[in-house]
Amino acid sequence: MPITPSVPVVQGSRKASLRLEGDALLLSRPHEEARIPLAAIERIRAEGRKLTVELTAPAGTTRYVHRIDGVSEAGAGMFAETVNAVLPGTPGRDTTADGTALVETRELPLSRRARKLRRVMWVATGGFGLLVLSCVLIAVAGEPVAVIAFAPGGIVAVAALAVGANALAGWYREWRLIRHGITTFAAEVPERPGMYLYTDPAGLIRHVSTWAGGIAVKVSYDPVDPGNVVLPRAALFRRGELAIGLFCTLVALAGLGGTVAWAVMALVDPESVSGAF
């Protein structure tokens, strides 16, 4: 069946997207992906900033839909008009059949960046939890004024902890891939400046983007997961990131630890800290 090259990719809220791929629509969300064959679609409706994909269904039954909000009105209108125009000629399309039986869905694993950010968020959340616990203990001990004094510093410490954890995670990933991964050279694609290609042990050609310049760049990748690749930096930059990560993390832990210690002291012996405020 003919595919119109000008069919736009519909981008919606919460990182949702819908595009035409061969004889199906590919609906992507952060954690899942659905392949909706054109044969399973009754019609597509574009209403303002909302795009709805209605599936075929037997008469008298509820019609299942996939909906994307926050889309471009112009793009959604063009997408719906183009796809609706090709639906009648789709091979095997039966408007009285249950379209949901043809839809294939799969869960998408979190990206490495998303996993790292999630770990950093958990660390920051733990630090914030310690801060809240300390403030509660101080207030229970009868020193509410101390909460006002400690809260701003505690928030700064939590932010420093997040920055430090992020820096240490980035440094460790690069250090591990350089030390235990495979280091090779990636060649630049002449027609696409900034894109470099390398071949993994399975013979697959993979790409990495950088504006480092040159006809080739050095890359290090994980032999188990060849898509996990870094461009090794100069040792000075790696050591600088390590130093920043350690400094921020240690200062943050010291600050949060001091706050917890002060809170426990205020709870156990209020007289020992009452004179400080």
Side-chain angles (χ1 to χ4, degrees):
M1 99 182 281
I3 299 176
T4 306
S6 59
V7 178
V9 175
V10 178
Q11 301 285 351
S13 58
R14 299 181 180 178
K15 299 182 179 180
S17 68
L18 182 68
R19 69 178 186 270
L20 178 62
E21 189 174 272
D23 60 351
L25 300 183
L26 197 63
L27 175 60
S28 299
R29 302 186 189 278
H31 304 304
E32 68 175 2
E33 187 176 76
R35 185 179 184 277
I36 310 172
L38 296 181
I41 301 173
E42 170 67 25
R43 65 169 177 165
I44 298 179
R45 290 188 291 110
E47 301 172 329
R49 301 198 63 193
K50 182 187 300 181
L51 186 72
T52 304
V53 179
E54 295 184 357
L55 302 184
T56 59
T61 62
T62 303
R63 197 176 301 281
Y64 193 84
V65 302
H66 293 274
R67 180 176 292 111
I68 301 181
D69 298 318
V71 300
S72 163
E73 292 188 32
M78 180 180 178
F79 186 92
E81 180 180 354
T82 305
V83 177
N84 284 333
V86 301
L87 287 178
T90 301
R93 180 169 178 261
D94 181 0
T95 57
T96 63
D98 182 6
T100 59
L102 301 178
V103 178
E104 300 175 1
T105 60
R106 67 186 183 98
E107 292 187 1
L108 297 177
L110 289 176
S111 65
R112 284 178 293 275
R113 179 180 176 82
R115 289 197 299 269
K116 185 185 77 168
L117 290 178
R118 176 171 289 188
R119 288 193 291 266
V120 171
M121 287 298 298
W122 275 112
V123 171
T125 301
F128 187 75
L130 284 177
L131 175 61
V132 172
L133 176 62
S134 301
C135 291
V136 170
L137 292 177
I138 292 174
V140 170
E143 297 291 343
V145 178
V147 174
I148 301 176
F150 278 117
I155 293 175
V156 172
V158 171
L161 183 61
V163 172
N166 184 65
L168 289 177
W171 170 84
Y172 174 75
R173 174 171 173 258
E174 184 174 354
W175 174 85
R176 185 179 67 83
L177 291 180
I178 293 174
R179 189 177 182 86
H180 301 288
I182 297 175
T183 299
T184 185
F185 284 93
E188 185 179 32
V189 180
E191 300 80 12
R192 302 187 64 177
M195 176 177 285
Y196 294 80
L197 304 180
Y198 64 98
T199 305
D200 68 16
L204 296 177
I205 297 177
R206 298 178 179 270
H207 76 273
V208 61
S209 298
T210 177
W211 294 106
I215 60 174
V217 295
K218 184 184 293 186
V219 297
S220 297
Y221 62 87
D222 189 336
V224 178
D225 179 14
N228 184 11
V229 59
V230 297
L231 286 87
R233 296 170 295 173
L236 178 63
F237 290 102
R238 296 200 302 271
R239 291 168 184 167
E241 185 175 44
L242 174 61
I244 291 174
L246 289 174
F247 175 78
C248 291
T249 302
L250 292 176
V251 169
L253 291 177
L256 291 172
T259 302
V260 173
W262 186 277
V264 173
M265 188 183 302
L267 188 64
V268 174
D269 186 10
E271 296 297 329
S272 63
V273 298
S274 59
F277 298 94

